Amino acid sequence: MTRATLEKQIQNQLTVVRDIKKYEIESYFSLLRDQVASIANDHIVAEAATELKKAFFAYPTEIQLVGSEISVKKGKVDDYYQSLASAYRKKTGSIKNGEALQTLFEQETPYAGLQFAYVMDNPHDIGQKFLLDAATFPVSYNQTHRKYHIRLLDFLETFKIQDVYFIDPDSGFIFYSVQKNVDFGLNVKDAKEALPGLYKSFVNANTQKDKGAVIGDFNTYTPALGDERAFISAPIFDDDKKIAILVFQLDINRINDIMTNQTHWKAEGMGDTGETYLVGGDFRLRSMSRFFYQDPEKYLDKMKDLNLAQPLIQEMHLKNSSIGIQPVLTEGSK
């Protein structure tokens, strides 16, 4: 077999692998779009959105009527933000996107009492806030939250996603989220500079003329400690009236599993050195390199030799990931 013939055979094999991966990725997103559109049309989900929305917007009036406004304790708020900043430093070596984080801290909302109760005063650790079924002060949101939270929480495990949101299509308030991160209770219109991915997803679904779902690219998401997240969203209708925007927050790990065949490269015919990876429109990785998996220390040393910026190398080391961090400015990716 001549060298030219061998090279042609290898090129053909790589082209086949590329096309298979393209099909798998597109099929995954197509399935997600269909699932989210179907869920948005489910009557139980519409019922949950309707009742949670009604209870959320009733909070300011109800809390005045019962005469027991929840005390937003500055000390606990400060402790929460310090814990969040500490988690950022541990994960990235600095407070990445510090300005966006500060913007979130400074957002004013008439629903600050609910945000405080479910986020800052929530006894569970960051990343585990979803374990709180309901706060205890006497407003209807807490009873409604207890009624629907367990059902909506189940979506995370069923669809392997990170969060579920309900957003009011008119005002832009996030009146429900499963995870209860710092974005809960905020207004995506007011916080669009700090929550660009979620805001864009909200706008895209809100301008939909039909009941389909739309999906965006992966980008750094501040409330998720700077991890890569994408959002897929669809409008929820009740008798042709738009009552809410349903949003799923997606983790990039599922994409990574598809591209790496869950690290079983040889089983896919890639031999000892072959790999496939995704590069986004910003020329940063959307999936991990095989060589990072196999020898992270050697891989990071190679990045140093290639003069990659030290903060990026440090972040890759702390996160044990190159996704969304490492630029790939090769001729092939261009």
Side-chain angles (χ1 to χ4, degrees):
M1 183 179 292
T2 65
R3 177 173 179 173
T5 302
L6 183 60
E7 287 179 348
K8 182 64 175 177
Q9 184 179 15
I10 292 172
Q11 283 182 344
N12 289 339
Q13 182 182 356
L14 290 174
T15 300
V16 169
V17 172
R18 180 200 65 191
D19 290 345
I20 290 172
K21 291 302 178 187
K22 176 177 181 289
Y23 173 77
E24 289 178 342
I25 290 291
E26 290 181 344
S27 296
Y28 170 66
F29 283 123
S30 179
L31 177 61
L32 269 178
R33 279 193 293 267
D34 290 345
Q35 288 173 331
V36 172
S38 176
I39 290 167
N41 282 317
D42 185 276
H43 75 279
I44 296 296
V45 172
E47 176 187 286
T50 299
E51 293 191 21
L52 282 163
K53 177 179 173 179
K54 180 181 178 181
F56 181 85
F57 286 111
Y59 166 79
T61 301
E62 288 182 353
I63 206 69
Q64 287 183 352
L65 290 174
V66 298
S68 59
E69 171 69 79
I70 182 170
S71 176
V72 178
K73 301 178 180 65
K74 186 178 184 303
K76 285 200 172 185
V77 174
D78 290 344
D79 287 346
Y80 173 80
Y81 291 149
Q82 288 172 10
S83 296
L84 202 59
S86 176
Y88 262 87
R89 291 190 188 96
K90 185 177 180 181
K91 206 164 192 178
T92 68
S94 63
I95 304 180
K96 190 177 182 182
N97 298 318
E99 290 183 3
L101 195 60
Q102 186 64 33
T103 299
L104 292 179
F105 296 166
E106 294 171 351
Q107 287 293 315
E108 294 187 4
T109 168
Y111 310 98
L114 282 177
Q115 187 190 52
F116 177 76
Y118 282 91
V119 182
M120 292 82 176
D121 200 35
N122 188 321
H124 302 286
D125 292 335
I126 291 174
Q128 299 290 311
K129 302 290 185 181
F130 62 86
L131 294 174
L132 179 65
D133 277 345
T136 56
F137 54 99
V139 293
S140 59
Y141 188 85
N142 297 328
Q143 288 73 40
T144 308
H145 189 277
R146 179 179 284 111
K147 178 180 178 181
Y148 291 107
H149 182 61
I150 190 64
R151 300 183 189 184
L152 298 170
L153 175 60
D154 186 57
F155 285 152
L156 270 62
E157 178 62 28
T158 301
F159 298 103
K160 309 300 181 187
I161 58 175
Q162 289 297 310
D163 209 348
V164 177
Y165 302 89
F166 287 146
I167 305 177
D168 178 49
D170 299 317
S171 68
F173 275 105
I174 303 169
F175 62 86
Y176 173 82
S177 76
V178 167
Q179 288 283 11
K180 300 304 184 297
N181 286 321
V182 70
D183 47 15
F184 168 66
L186 295 183
N187 188 307
V188 291
K189 295 179 181 180
D190 295 339
K192 61 184 178 182
E193 299 300 326
L195 308 173
L198 184 57
Y199 172 73
K200 186 175 181 180
S201 183
F202 163 77
V203 170
N204 287 341
N206 210 11
T207 54
Q208 282 279 96
K209 301 300 182 183
D210 54 32
K211 298 182 180 182
V214 289
I215 190 167
D217 191 9
F218 284 87
N219 283 292
T220 298
Y221 189 59
T222 302
L225 300 180
D227 281 344
E228 295 292 305
R229 295 287 189 265
F231 300 92
I232 182 167
S233 54
I236 300 174
F237 290 91
D238 185 16
D239 293 331
D240 295 325
K241 180 182 178 182
K242 190 188 302 177
I243 58 172
I245 303 300
L246 170 69
V247 184
F248 276 17
Q249 183 191 119
L250 309 181
D251 193 331
I252 206 164
N253 287 332
R254 176 62 184 135
I255 306 302
N256 194 53
D257 287 345
I258 292 173
M259 294 305 300
T260 63
N261 197 32
Q262 295 185 328
T263 72
H264 299 141
W265 293 280
K266 286 189 177 181
E268 202 167 56
M270 300 300 287
D272 293 322
T273 59
E275 65 171 343
T276 57
Y277 56 84
L278 281 178
V279 180
D282 59 359
F283 289 100
R284 292 179 186 268
L285 287 175
R286 296 294 188 270
S287 64
M288 287 272 281
S289 168
R290 173 179 187 168
F291 305 107
F292 196 135
Y293 273 116
Q294 293 177 334
D295 194 336
E297 187 174 338
K298 184 177 179 180
Y299 189 89
L300 293 176
D301 285 340
K302 179 66 175 177
M303 293 301 103
K304 293 177 185 177
D305 294 340
L306 294 173
N307 296 317
L308 185 65
Q310 180 57 36
L312 297 181
I313 295 174
Q314 182 184 23
E315 186 175 355
M316 288 164 63
H317 169 70
L318 291 170
K319 287 187 173 181
N320 195 33
S321 173
S322 56
I323 296 174
I325 305 170
Q326 181 186 337
V328 183
L329 295 170
T330 63
E331 288 303 311
S333 64
K334 291 176 183 177

